[in-house]
């Protein structure tokens, strides 16, 4: 009989939009993820690939959720019952915000909150307080190192600062 997978929190549901935190050495790397199911979803983020460019670049890709040892945090910022957000909607908002033309640590976070503001402008999410949301995620993600394991589902919370 196969081993049961990690417990999936009741607050996680496919089709909702989450800020995703990936554990790394100094601070979490962040992106936005729209889960298809508990195993995977669509991720938009910026990253640096020095083999292509020395600067940040926008990327959309499939992202493993369950069993990813770096994905430690999922903060729900839009629940699917409030209205569906498509991958195309997410890509459209993300592509409006230019990737920074530098390689400064922490730019992924600044970029992400500008994308959330664009999603709010497009009336796809309701952003109540971007500063409070940023502080909330920073605190939440910094406490989730223990979730950066293949045998644990990322820690999931629901933000009161965005819907």
């Amino acid at each position: 009989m196969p081993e049961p997978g990690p417990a999936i929190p009741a607050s996680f549901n496919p089709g909702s939009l989450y800020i995703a935190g990936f554990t790394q050495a100094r601070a979490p790397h962040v992106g936005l993820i729209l889960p298809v199911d508990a195993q995977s979803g669509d991720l938009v983020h910026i990253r640096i690939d020095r083999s292509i460019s020395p600067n940040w670049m926008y990327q959309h890709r499939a992202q493993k959720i369950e069993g990813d040892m770096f994905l430690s945090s999922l903060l729900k910022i839009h629940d699917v019952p409030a209205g569906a957000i498509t991958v195309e909607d997410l890509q459209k908002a993300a592509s409006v915000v230019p990737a920074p033309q530098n390689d400064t640590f922490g730019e992924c976070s600044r970029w992400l909150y500008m994308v959330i503001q664009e999603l709010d402008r497009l009336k796809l999410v309701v952003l109540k307080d971007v500063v409070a949301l940023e502080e909330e995620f920073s605190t939440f993600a910094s406490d989730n190192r223990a979730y950066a394991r293949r045998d644990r589902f990322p820690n999931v919370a629901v933000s009161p600062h965005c819907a």
Side-chain angles (χ1 to χ4, degrees):
M1 184 168 214
E3 289 282 321
I8 299 170
S11 55
F12 176 83
N13 56 325
S16 293
L17 183 62
Y18 297 84
I19 299 175
F22 298 85
T23 300
Q24 57 184 23
R26 292 198 294 186
H29 176 64
V30 297
L32 290 169
I33 192 164
L34 192 60
V36 174
D37 53 33
Q39 286 73 45
S40 66
D42 285 273
L43 175 75
V44 297
H45 70 138
I46 57 172
R47 63 187 288 266
I48 295 175
D49 181 343
R50 297 205 191 282
S51 68
I52 299 172
S53 169
N55 298 320
W56 292 97
M57 299 179 318
Y58 167 74
Q59 182 183 50
H60 164 252
R61 66 177 167 90
Q63 172 62 46
K64 184 176 180 180
I65 298 173
E66 186 175 48
D68 185 290
M69 70 179 291
F70 298 105
L71 179 58
S72 61
S73 308
L74 292 171
L75 182 65
K76 187 186 299 184
I77 61 169
H78 180 78
D79 203 354
V80 70
I85 295 176
T86 67
V87 173
E88 292 77 20
D89 292 333
L90 185 57
Q91 288 178 300
K92 179 181 176 184
S95 66
V96 167
V97 179
Q101 294 300 301
N102 64 50
D103 65 352
T104 305
F105 181 81
E107 290 284 359
C108 61
S109 178
R110 287 189 247 330
W111 178 87
L112 174 120
Y113 293 106
M114 288 189 286
V115 172
I116 294 171
Q117 289 172 319
E118 178 64 15
L119 288 165
D120 178 65
R121 190 188 71 71
L122 294 170
K123 300 192 182 328
L124 294 169
V125 302
V126 177
L127 178 60
K128 299 171 185 172
D129 186 335
V130 71
V131 173
L133 178 63
E134 189 171 356
E135 289 171 2
E136 175 190 27
F137 185 76
S138 178
T139 301
F140 173 64
S142 68
D143 292 338
N144 289 334
R145 279 198 170 285
Y147 288 85
R149 296 173 29 175
R150 283 188 174 87
D151 63 344
R152 294 197 72 181
F153 198 80
N155 196 10
V156 179
V158 179
S159 178
H161 304 297
C162 199

